[in-house]
Amino acid sequence: MLNFFGRNQSRDVAKNRLRNVLAHDRADTSPEFMEHLREDVMRIVSEYVEVGGQGVDLHLQSVEDHVALVANIPVKQLRRRGRSGNN
Amino acid sequence: MGEVIVITSGKGGVGKTTTTANLGVALAQLGLKTCLVDADIGLRNLDVVLGLENRIVYDLVDVVEGFCRLRQALIRDKRLEGLSLLPAAQTKDKTSVTPEQMRGVTEELRAEFDYVLVDSPAGIEQGFKNAIAGADHALIVATPEVASVRDADRIIGLLEAAEIPPARLIVNRLRPGMVRKGDMMSVDDIVDILAIDLIGVVPEDEQIVVTTNRGEPAALSQGSRAGEAYRAVARRIRGEEVPFAEFGEPAGLFGRLRRMFGQA
């Protein structure tokens, strides 16, 4: 919400900054969290693509005013039909 | 068998000791035998907030080192039947007590009291580990500020790791006027971010300064908004359903107009 002078209310700024900092804090203080997330993402992704190499990179990144979950997964080739195809 | 509750926050200066003192008073007023334990060894404070600083003979470290029996170290509050304090040592440091010893002390106390409230030191080191060692539950005190809420989140994670059941939140020093103007996070904002249950909202209240000056916790007498809020928390600890007072959720133009004309 904007105030009279068109600035963001400091309450909203505080909330947003907290969400961002806590995303990083929670990921940093619990290494298993990112590991489990990586395993689950890879399990689903491999139903659709054949993953090439070992260089799977998954991390949180602050982008302007929000946090992004960034994945870089090298693809060898797409599977023909995806989940149900099993090929 | 009584219940052991640790009062903690991570960040210092958010009102842990004031909260512990007032909840102790409010629980004792409900007729519940309550013992307050100051786990902040080396920085003893709960005694002065309660106004019991002149009556200390033995302390927590004397008990664990076997210089006295637990009963001898307890100070009974003469103003209020059922309220006792186990003071911290002022001249020792946090390593003088181990989590196992702390658990032993709280186990002994829970046989005598309905509630044992442990006032945790700030931080996440040894003193904090001691304070949570014997606890069945935790209350987290947080003020509506970024640093306090961040530290509270870290503490919630550590309590989970220690397998203490989900902590409940006390939002302290809320300024409803600032929340209405959009200059302070609301209770809902904080609950939303921390994702834990709320057990109390204590408004900022100058009476806390005055009553702490005198060593007479606000909850001892009527007429303080913060004291009133602490009494509500005490009843919720006991398991009563007590409705939360409304504090400063933005009410939109209509609400503002109503307030302007004195109808809200």
Side-chain angles (χ1 to χ4, degrees):
Chain A
M1 223 212 289
L2 301 182
N3 70 7
F4 187 73
F5 301 102
R7 293 195 64 196
N8 277 329
Q9 295 200 303
S10 75
R11 166 190 177 178
D12 297 325
V13 177
K15 227 166 31 176
N16 220 7
R17 291 176 60 219
L18 258 173
R19 280 196 214 287
N20 290 359
V21 79
L22 289 187
H24 289 285
D25 283 358
R26 287 177 187 176
D28 289 348
T29 53
S30 169
E32 321 86 70
F33 179 90
M34 288 306 283
E35 201 37 56
H36 291 162
L37 178 59
R38 193 190 327 273
E39 283 166 13
D40 283 357
V41 166
M42 288 314 295
R43 202 182 60 240
I44 304 296
V45 166
S46 358
E47 290 181 6
Y48 293 83
V49 306
E50 199 178 321
V51 179
Q54 312 100 325
V56 177
D57 175 35
L58 191 73
H59 64 272
L60 295 174
Q61 191 179 311
S62 294
V63 188
E64 288 171 20
D65 65 343
H66 67 279
V67 176
L69 178 63
V70 179
N72 187 345
I73 306 171
V75 173
K76 201 186 246 171
Q77 61 179 339
L78 296 200
R79 300 199 192 280
R80 204 174 302 277
R81 282 197 303 271
R83 186 157 48 155
S84 57
N86 236 4
N87 44 2
Chain B
M1 285 298 259
E3 220 172 284
V4 181
I5 303 173
V6 62
I7 290 152
T8 183
S9 68
K11 189 174 177 304
V14 299
K16 278 182 300 294
T17 302
T18 305
T19 296
T20 307
N22 279 284
L23 290 182
V25 166
L27 284 166
Q29 283 169 337
L30 293 171
L32 299 158
K33 278 194 77 185
T34 304
C35 184
L36 307 181
V37 179
D38 190 347
D40 201 349
I41 296 161
L43 290 171
R44 169 160 96 194
N45 272 328
L46 189 51
D47 56 336
V48 286
V49 173
L50 285 162
L52 298 174
E53 68 272 21
N54 292 328
R55 297 188 42 211
I56 296 176
V57 182
Y58 297 110
D59 58 48
L60 174 60
V61 174
D62 293 325
V63 174
V64 300
E65 288 181 351
F67 286 122
C68 68
R69 283 176 302 134
L70 179 55
R71 202 174 285 254
Q72 292 173 288
L74 293 180
I75 301 163
R76 299 171 83 110
D77 193 324
K78 289 172 183 160
R79 298 163 297 195
L80 192 56
E81 176 77 32
L83 183 64
S84 298
L85 167 70
L86 177 58
Q90 179 69 337
T91 53
K92 310 280 174 51
D93 70 54
K94 297 181 198 316
T95 56
S96 343
V97 178
T98 66
E100 291 68 36
Q101 289 170 324
M102 194 69 187
R103 196 174 300 125
V105 169
T106 52
E107 282 309 301
E108 209 177 326
L109 286 171
R110 78 159 87 226
E112 295 275 322
F113 291 90
D114 298 312
Y115 287 99
V116 179
L117 305 187
V118 182
D119 184 17
S120 157
I124 56 175
E125 291 84 21
Q126 175 83 24
F128 167 75
K129 287 175 188 150
N130 284 342
I132 67 168
D136 307 314
H137 302 281
L139 300 183
I140 309 249
V141 182
T143 57
E145 294 156 82
V146 177
S148 170
V149 176
R150 181 193 199 176
D151 288 2
D153 190 76
R154 181 91 169 92
I155 291 291
I156 292 165
L158 291 171
L159 289 167
E160 264 172 27
E163 293 177 354
I164 293 174
R168 287 173 295 175
L169 175 70
I170 296 177
V171 175
N172 197 20
R173 310 192 65 171
L174 188 81
R175 297 171 67 168
M178 289 192 74
V179 176
R180 276 197 292 270
K181 279 193 275 179
D183 278 329
M184 181 176 265
M185 284 185 286
S186 71
V187 173
D188 285 351
D189 292 339
I190 300 168
V191 169
D192 187 33
I193 287 168
L194 292 178
I196 59 171
D197 288 341
L198 182 70
I199 192 170
V201 180
V202 182
E204 176 82 70
D205 184 354
E206 290 183 355
Q207 280 301 306
I208 291 291
V209 179
V210 178
T211 54
T212 307
N213 283 344
R214 296 186 196 282
E216 295 164 357
L220 264 182
S221 47
Q222 303 295 321
S224 131
R225 287 183 305 155
E228 204 58 53
Y230 282 123
R231 274 195 285 273
V233 178
R235 287 165 59 200
R236 291 186 196 111
I237 289 176
R238 187 170 72 166
E240 274 181 57
E241 291 268 341
V242 183
F244 285 89
E246 283 295 320
F247 287 115
E249 289 303 322
L253 183 63
F254 184 65
R256 257 178 284 156
L257 284 173
R258 282 212 315 180
R259 257 194 307 283
M260 218 183 280
F261 294 107
Q263 287 167 23

